[in-house]
Amino acid sequence: MVRVKSVLSTLTLCVALIGYLPLAPYLDPLATWCFPAGLVAAWYQQRSGRTLSGRILTPASILLFLYYASGMNRDNLLSVTANLLVMFLSVRLVGEKSGRNYLQIFALALFCLAASSLYNLSALFLVYLLALLLLLAVSLVVLTFHAHDADLALEHPQLKKVLGVAGLMPVAALPILLVLFVILPRTQFPLWDFLNRGGGNRAGFSDKVKPGAAASVTEVKAVVLRASSPKVPENRLYWRGIVLNALEGNAWVRVPGPQERSMVPGSAEQVRQEIYPEPSNSPYLVALNIPRQISGLRSVNEADVVFKARAPLDKRVKYEAVSTLSDLVRVNGGIDRDFYLGVPAQVSPRMREAARQLSQSGRSDADKLRLLERFVRSQRISYATSGLPVGNDALDDFLFGKKRGSCEFFASSSAILLRLAGVPARLVGGYRGGNYNQMGGYYQVTEDMAHVWVEAYLDGRGWVTVDPTAWSIGFGRQAALGDTLRMYADALGFYWNKAVISYDLDKQISLVRKAGGAVRQLHLPAFSLKGTLVGLSWLLPLGAAVLWYLGRSVSREERLLRRFLRAVARRYPTLTVERSGLFDLAQRTGDPQVREFAIIYGSALYGDRRLQPVELENLKRLVRGINQHHP
Amino acid sequence: MGVILHSLAKRDEMVAVLENLSGKHLKGKGRALRLCLMALLTGGHILLEDIPGLGKTTMALAFASALGLSFGRVQCTSDLLPSDITGLSIYDRNEGRFSFVKGPIFNNIVLIDEINRAMPKTQSALLEAMEERRVTVEGVTYQLPDPFLVLATQNPAEQVGTFPLPESQMDRFVMRTGIGYPPEEIEKEILMHGSIRDEILHIPALVTHRDLVEAIEAVRHQVYLGEKVTDYVYAIIAATRNHPLIQTGISTRGGIGLVEAAKAAAYLAGRPFVVPEDVREVAPVVCAHRLIFRPEQEGVDKEQLLNALLQEIPLPLT
């Protein structure tokens, strides 16, 4: 016997937890810790049967409300609401529970989940939502039992039946869900995004490089873009975003440059990518270095191979890019050398000296570039993202003092040295690297992969890509050992965005068409045999357990009957065994054994009594007899 | 056979009567005879709906003589009065008082020919007698003999000058069936040998009155109706009540009739318990005439619909 009350309490705790979990990362510490405490208290109360009276809880709720409401303003509306919801939920959990209170908890949990969607609308939300809907349906059914009789207790099979039926209800609603999915409009943003202060300043890279501004660089793992593309050699994974062509004080900035007729050679390997950037304020379209063409979005191709979207990329979009995996941009008709030779007003003497040596011993630009590499390598500078040189003389300190720095230092100092030595140079900002998701067939580029490198103009060739950071000690991106789970989760999120958030009907139709085609050409990848075996080795015992479990509930009478029907069907193949009665079969077969079985079995079944052991033996003998007739 | 069933009182005798009649005298009428016997055993009445000349009267006569029962016959016309059936009091000059002369209904087996030709008043007097098993004339109540079976016939083809029985009255008959044409071989044989009416009058009684009463008792008390089969009967009734084409499904009286007929079928099959097959066997004849269709669906064949319904309901096997 199971008491309905304890089932309901457990379900309620689960419901509350599912309401809290998606909201947890966005809560105040008070609310964050109050809820687990409330949960534990509620669990303890459920065990001990004690409850806190409303005389304590109601004033507590009012105080909490006043505390949060006092700090409310137009900007933190959402966070106050979310915190209050969770606090109320916690308070409600420890209070005494009547039917009304349970309903309140369900509603609060649902509101909490809804509030979480205002922060973040990821694929995980769907998981939470489905789990909550399922639990709520079951809980509501159990609640009706509880409301009918609070001390009701159910047998295990009865309870199983109730829970099973209750669980089926949301499943039955799934078709409606699908219909609604097609009909209802959907949003690209977290709902009511305006309630969140300062959202969207997630520029993947800055359009200003100023080494020495901060002592460390924070590495944020946030995703910047995902690009479906074939796999590209690791050393070619440079994502070009912006070109910084001028110096403003000590900072590299982008100013409208001189007109030049850049041309990306089409001879080298071409890579086609489909890029899904995360929403941001930056208008620059990122693609593998060097992009030849970007389509699918209205954009301007600027003279220095920088693609700029006409509209801001603050919603989910998609564009296609074709890139040449080369390190050369040809320029027809030459460049405005003076423009690319500008240097900062203040350059340390040591740097000037280094540049002078470059220009003296280097006969050509290419030579100077080689000498620069030798120089930087000889300085034995290590790559670092913390403990960076700061101040106006940061670059000097970087090259000759601390000898540690990030890509900004390497690129910036190298470009300045090149310019001082008379070689036109500019910085290119973008990303370096990417985690390839085997499952989804796409690269995931995160914020911490932001990178700056140099393009130097060599006469007769063009803009040549140079990555001075590669000359450092200890640079070399740690191979992204993406743990499998995270990869799967990210792939799920990717498809969620692709199919749900930026959904449109045409795309959906073509997806279905493609799926049809894909099924036709389905071939299993090579590693799948092993995977299948591993999967089967898990599934088979599971299936066996399920079968055993199902089989257990079948009475021996039922088993016997099934054996009998199978035997008859084998012996008289022309007979339709389904939907005919035992005596029917006896009459139609004219078989005395079948008739005898019908009489013995029927007299028990229709006489409302159980089969005697002797009768069971007899029946088994008869079934054997029917089977033996079979040739 | 290897299985010994509890012997049911007089079951073998009853089956012997059926075999004797359908084997010797009434070839090709086995089913109708069996149904008549079942109706008799349940204490109900039977309505034979068929065109004239298929041997309804012959069958009823043979049935009565083989069971050793008295037989009465009423040919209905539109001017038939209730007293023509029940009987009436006549002044006896010798004794100087009125004495009651019993009508044809005071017989064990009464054949009411073309019941739909009688006017409603007569019909309802008759149906009342069937239901109550007694007749009240001029304030005196007379008990009808036991066993008592009314075999009413109705001609479905002729509708002119008739008063078709309303469905509510049809409900009083436990079964309605047709006789149908005999199979070709048998009909040819009948054609060669001519009518057997004379022969039938001399069929000796095969059972005694006492046997019959015992058999009726056995059907009522020795045949067991289990829970599973009750559920099955209820499922059928419920299905007729919820069917979209049917306005009024089977009444509780109809359900009782179904159970009793099934018991009789089980008795004749020699089983002391009812099985779903018994119910399924009798359901079309017991239930079909009780269904009232929605006005727009009147053309649908009742038995066909019922058979379709029965196909849908699974027999309880576990």
Side-chain angles (χ1 to χ4, degrees), chain A residues 555 557-558 561 565 579-585 592 595-596 598-608, chain B residues 1-3 5 224-229 269 271 273-277 280 311-318:
Chain A
S555 66
E557 282 88 353
E558 210 169 330
L561 178 77
L565 290 178
R579 291 195 168 267
S580 41
L582 296 173
F583 290 86
D584 238 10
L585 287 177
R595 192 181 124 77
E596 201 176 328
I599 289 174
I600 298 177
Y601 186 89
S603 69
L605 175 66
Y606 303 125
D608 294 339
Chain B
M1 195 128 312
V3 186
L5 289 172
Y224 181 79
L225 178 79
E227 244 171 68
K228 295 272 160 59
V229 187
R271 262 185 276 103
F273 52 91
V274 182
V275 300
E277 284 93 327
R280 202 172 56 178
Q311 286 296 316
E312 292 291 308
I313 303 169
L315 299 182
L317 286 181
T318 51

Side-chain angles (χ1 to χ4, degrees), chain A residues 6-322:
Chain A
S6 60
V7 176
L8 184 60
S9 303
T10 312
L11 281 171
T12 308
L13 294 189
C14 293
V15 165
L17 190 64
I18 291 184
Y20 163 77
L21 279 180
L23 204 51
Y26 309 100
L27 295 175
D28 286 356
L30 178 65
T32 312
W33 291 110
C34 248
F35 182 84
L39 201 68
V40 170
W43 185 76
Y44 171 72
Q45 285 176 0
Q46 180 194 330
R47 277 307 177 84
S48 64
R50 269 178 282 177
T51 50
L52 274 176
S53 95
R55 264 178 302 186
I56 307 170
L57 292 177
T58 314
S61 307
I62 295 173
L63 281 179
L64 278 171
F65 177 77
L66 289 178
Y67 169 71
Y68 277 107
S70 63
M72 179 134 78
N73 62 39
R74 204 169 54 88
D75 287 331
N76 64 2
L77 208 57
L78 177 56
S79 91
V80 167
T81 316
N83 282 308
L84 264 179
L85 280 173
V86 170
M87 291 307 293
F88 284 155
L89 188 59
S90 323
V91 169
R92 202 62 273 171
L93 275 181
V94 292
E96 56 188 334
K97 299 187 192 73
S98 63
R100 192 168 57 98
N101 301 133
Y102 281 117
L103 284 177
Q104 284 169 348
I105 292 175
F106 297 160
L108 280 172
L110 204 55
F111 289 155
C112 283
L113 183 66
S116 82
S117 78
L118 306 185
Y119 285 107
N120 185 2
L121 204 59
S122 71
L124 203 56
F125 174 76
L126 182 73
V127 177
Y128 280 124
L129 182 67
L130 287 180
L132 190 63
L133 288 183
L134 186 74
L135 275 179
L136 276 184
V138 176
S139 307
L140 286 174
V141 171
V142 176
L143 183 61
T144 56
F145 279 83
H146 178 264
H148 185 69
D149 177 6
D151 295 319
L152 192 68
L154 290 177
E155 300 278 358
H156 269 289
Q158 285 177 315
L159 186 72
K160 232 186 279 173
K161 213 177 203 172
V162 168
L163 294 185
V165 171
L168 271 182
M169 291 195 304
V171 175
L174 272 182
I176 304 177
L177 200 80
L178 288 180
V179 173
L180 290 183
F181 175 75
V182 175
I183 296 171
L184 288 184
R186 68 211 70 232
T187 166
Q188 304 209 349
F189 310 103
L191 290 161
W192 296 353
D193 205 24
F194 60 89
L195 287 177
N196 285 323
R197 199 166 29 147
N201 47 7
R202 297 235 314 255
F205 49 83
S206 64
D207 48 5
K208 188 172 189 179
V209 166
K210 190 176 180 188
S216 68
V217 178
T218 33
E219 298 212 329
V220 188
K221 275 281 180 191
V223 175
V224 177
L225 63 85
R226 293 183 180 84
S228 311
S229 95
K231 206 158 177 183
V232 171
E234 189 66 27
N235 61 351
R236 288 293 186 188
L237 271 181
Y238 284 88
W239 304 87
R240 187 191 187 92
I242 190 174
V243 168
L244 305 172
N245 49 14
L247 280 151
E248 198 173 78
N250 283 331
W252 285 89
V253 293
R254 177 171 180 76
V255 297
Q259 277 307 315
E260 52 193 64
R261 284 161 49 214
S262 301
M263 202 195 76
V264 181
S267 53
E269 193 190 347
Q270 308 270 317
V271 178
R272 182 176 293 275
Q273 313 130 63
E274 217 168 74
I275 297 172
Y276 299 82
E278 291 288 305
S280 76
N281 285 341
S282 157
Y284 297 102
L285 300 179
V286 178
L288 272 177
N289 202 26
I290 302 162
R292 273 167 67 81
Q293 177 196 327
I294 282 184
S295 55
L297 202 70
R298 283 159 53 81
S299 61
V300 195
N301 182 3
E302 298 193 347
D304 41 8
V305 203
V306 168
F307 290 84
K308 199 171 171 183
R310 285 187 189 274
L313 301 176
D314 52 2
K315 41 184 168 179
R316 293 202 180 273
V317 291
K318 175 191 107 168
Y319 54 88
E320 285 107 50
V322 180

